[in-house]
Amino acid sequence: MQIIKLVFGLTFLLLISPVVNAQRPVLTDEEVVTETVTKEIDELFQSTEFTKKKAKKYADVKGTMVVDVGVVQNGKVSSFFKVDSDIKNIDFINFMSEYILEHKFQFKLQKQQSKSIHCQ
């Protein structure tokens, strides 16, 4: 009887865990949104996937970019605008733009809310 309860309990946990993981927090405070976007973008650019892609085509590109990133309610990036950059390689800037535009943040915004975040 104990084994059946344990198996049922584990099965229940396995079924519910994807639902729990799938729910992203809804952020409302503008400072928290900005901090979260900056943190996620920093993590994105330090990820193995990004560093491999960058090393493959743009290993010699170094510098900084200041961008405005628009985020809509579901956490998708809606816009990417380069404000300033000491990087002159247009292909790399386009690569960065596409990479960021494909990203989906690990949070949501309130309904009918969108944010534009200034990142360095």
Side-chain angles (χ1 to χ4, degrees), residues 27-106:
L27 302 182
T28 56
D29 183 78
E30 193 164 330
E31 285 184 28
V32 173
V33 172
T34 301
E35 289 172 11
T36 305
V37 167
T38 303
K39 179 180 174 246
E40 279 194 43
I41 286 181
D42 287 345
E43 289 172 355
L44 183 68
F45 294 146
Q46 294 173 11
S47 71
T48 305
E49 179 186 348
F50 176 80
T51 54
K52 282 182 181 179
K53 285 184 179 182
K54 182 187 178 294
K56 188 174 184 177
K57 289 181 106 173
Y58 306 104
D60 59 332
V61 176
K62 301 207 182 324
T64 58
M65 291 175 64
V66 178
V67 299
D68 281 338
V69 177
V71 182
V72 293
Q73 178 189 350
N74 64 0
K76 287 185 178 180
V77 177
S78 61
S79 64
F80 173 93
F81 179 74
K82 179 187 70 118
V83 176
D84 190 25
S85 176
D86 59 3
I87 299 170
K88 303 301 179 202
N89 186 321
I90 299 299
D91 291 334
F92 179 74
I93 293 170
N94 290 335
F95 163 73
M96 292 289 291
S97 173
E98 290 174 24
Y99 202 85
I100 291 173
L101 285 167
E102 291 174 3
H103 183 69
K104 186 171 183 177
F105 289 99
Q106 299 301 309

